[in-house]
Amino acid sequence: MNAEPNATQWSGSPTRPSLLLHYTPVEAVQSRIRMSQRARLLPRVLQSESVQLQITKILIRESLVQEAFEVRWKSYRHRFVPWIALNLQKNERTLRQVKDRSQDKLVEDEEVFGSLVRLFTELLKNDLKNQSEQLRLLPQSKLNTYTNVQNETHDDPCAVMMNTLGFGIERKRSSLQLAGTGVFVTRGRAPKGSIVAMYPGTIYQADEPIFFQSIKNPFVFRCIDGVLIDGNDRAISKTVYRSCSGRDRFGPFPLSDCSWLTSDPMNPLAVGQYINNCSNEKAANVCYQEYDVPDEFPLELRQYLPNVNYRADNQRPLRCVVLVSLRDINCGEELFSNYYTIVH
């Protein structure tokens, strides 16, 4: 025969007992009647203007939180490797497949070297008035390379780029909706295989800290070997770059360029972080290519390199990333880049 459970048997968890289960049967019935009465009053309470206002505020707050999360996620997801792995396969036009790191190069390192030296030489010639301290330390044979200038005029860096490479690029509002800033060919025509831009920023090896710099930062570029380039020109990233750049000098010779942090970079190529990714609607016309600066790169021209190592005692060559044109790009076209992936 089943016995009526007592209060001890009805008690809930020993750390959080149920108060209702300690009532006598009469008290329990009365409590349920009171709860039923409150339930009938609930629709009237919800009709109150003050309650409706509170509910509206809660819904708006939740909507704003969700919207803020989506904005942050969109700025972060391109650095989240699982997201990249899942989504790149859905859009084959964003991928350029290579079988080995050495095969990611569309042009040889010697061609990259020649293009950069040619442009940087003309930029230095265009700025002789500010180069006197560095030039007086060069041997006479090299000094003649820069001082034998017929017309000593100071042109806009984009004009120097146009006269040297046959085209010029500038930052403008992107043609993509909600994409913000983009990069366009605004003068001339960029032939296939041209170095059209550089990705500026601080270079971090795989074991170096970048957590705080990466927060809400969509400008962190990951190289194929795990090296990271922080191309953000604001906030803590800007401070870190300026500090590292000021640290690295060879006598009067600066070894990197800080002007890309401003709206008027001395090196007009240093805008690669603002080139948007391609899509199904906008096919890629440029691609990334990694380039390690060799020791023989002219000392006096390193002042135009828009990259610096985070750690001073790094023994590896300075990593740069250039963007190479996949086809002829006409004046007025926006630049769109693609990812590359290693396939086995």
Side-chain angles (χ1 to χ4, degrees):
M1 182 175 64
N2 294 332
E4 186 74 11
N6 56 36
T8 304
Q9 292 173 315
W10 282 20
S11 62
S13 169
T15 57
R16 191 175 180 183
S18 174
L19 297 180
L20 179 60
L21 297 180
H22 286 285
Y23 293 164
T24 65
V26 175
E27 291 174 333
V29 172
Q30 293 175 344
S31 176
R32 290 183 180 180
I33 292 174
R34 288 194 296 269
M35 293 175 63
S36 176
Q37 292 173 343
R38 292 171 184 169
R40 287 196 298 269
L41 291 174
L42 183 59
R44 298 181 183 178
V45 174
L46 292 178
Q47 292 176 2
S48 170
E49 292 184 2
S50 60
V51 173
Q52 289 181 351
L53 181 60
Q54 292 298 325
I55 293 175
T56 304
K57 289 182 178 178
I58 293 173
L59 294 176
I60 293 175
R61 189 181 302 113
E62 291 179 352
S63 176
L64 292 176
V65 169
Q66 182 179 0
E67 183 179 350
F69 173 79
E70 290 177 355
V71 171
R72 293 187 180 184
W73 169 243
K74 288 180 180 179
S75 68
Y76 176 83
R77 63 187 182 183
H78 300 286
R79 296 186 289 111
F80 187 56
V81 176
W83 182 91
I84 295 175
L86 291 173
N87 285 272
L88 288 185
Q89 302 300 332
K90 300 177 183 178
N91 186 358
E92 293 296 330
R93 299 184 73 176
T94 67
L95 285 175
R96 183 167 60 90
Q97 297 182 346
V98 298
K99 293 184 177 180
D100 186 75
R101 180 190 170 194
S102 61
Q103 297 181 5
D104 81 300
K105 300 181 184 298
L106 290 184
V107 298
E108 297 298 326
D109 286 348
E110 291 75 15
E111 294 183 47
V112 178
F113 180 94
S115 294
L116 296 182
V117 168
R118 186 164 68 253
L119 175 61
F120 293 176
T121 298
E122 295 304 317
L123 290 174
L124 193 150
K125 289 181 179 179
N126 189 57
D127 192 35
L128 287 178
K129 293 181 179 180
N130 298 320
Q131 302 291 331
S132 57
E133 185 178 5
Q134 294 95 315
L135 293 179
R136 65 182 178 85
L137 298 177
L138 298 178
Q140 189 62 41
S141 58
K142 183 172 287 190
L143 181 62
N144 293 336
T145 304
Y146 303 113
T147 55
N148 290 339
V149 182
Q150 294 181 354
N151 299 319
E152 295 187 9
T153 59
H154 186 77
D155 295 326
D156 178 79
C158 288
V160 176
M161 180 179 178
M162 173 65 190
N163 295 332
T164 306
L165 303 181
F167 62 93
I169 60 172
E170 293 181 36
R171 286 174 287 186
K172 296 170 58 179
R173 184 173 182 82
S174 176
S175 59
L176 297 176
Q177 291 185 351
L178 305 178
T181 303
V183 178
F184 292 77
V185 174
T186 55
R187 306 181 189 185
R189 183 187 188 192
K192 179 181 179 180
S194 301
I195 309 302
V196 297
M198 301 181 71
Y199 200 99
T202 307
I203 311 299
Y204 293 86
Q205 303 302 319
D207 61 336
E208 294 175 345
I210 193 177
F211 174 76
F212 290 107
Q213 298 92 310
S214 69
I215 296 175
K216 298 178 63 176
N217 183 358
F219 295 105
V220 178
F221 179 90
R222 187 180 187 275
C223 297
I224 204 168
D225 60 353
V227 172
L228 301 176
I229 304 180
D230 182 6
N232 194 357
D233 55 9
R234 300 179 179 86
I236 187 175
S237 300
K238 179 178 182 179
T239 303
V240 170
Y241 185 91
R242 284 191 179 278
S243 176
C244 294
S245 180
R247 172 201 66 200
D248 294 345
R249 296 181 65 92
F250 188 81
F253 294 97
L255 302 181
S256 57
D257 174 28
C258 282
S259 65
W260 68 271
L261 297 169
T262 70
S263 58
D264 298 307
M266 293 192 304
N267 174 8
L269 292 175
V271 293
Q273 79 277 34
Y274 285 106
I275 295 178
N276 290 302
N277 296 322
C278 67
S279 64
N280 285 329
E281 293 73 29
K282 300 287 186 177
N285 50 20
V286 299
C287 67
Y288 299 104
Q289 178 170 317
E290 298 171 16
Y291 174 68
D292 291 335
V293 180
D295 293 337
E296 58 267 23
F297 199 91
L299 178 63
E300 67 277 9
L301 299 182
R302 289 178 177 259
Q303 62 182 300
Y304 298 108
L305 292 173
N307 298 99
V308 64
N309 285 316
Y310 176 75
R311 191 166 59 200
D313 59 351
N314 192 341
Q315 300 301 315
R316 299 182 62 176
L318 180 68
R319 171 64 54 83
C320 288
V321 170
V322 298
L323 288 106
V324 183
S325 55
L326 295 169
R327 60 171 176 79
D328 293 349
I329 305 175
N330 297 318
C331 181
E333 287 192 67
E334 184 174 0
L335 303 182
F336 294 102
S337 63
N338 64 3
Y339 296 100
Y340 52 80
T341 182
I342 295 181
V343 294
H344 301 285

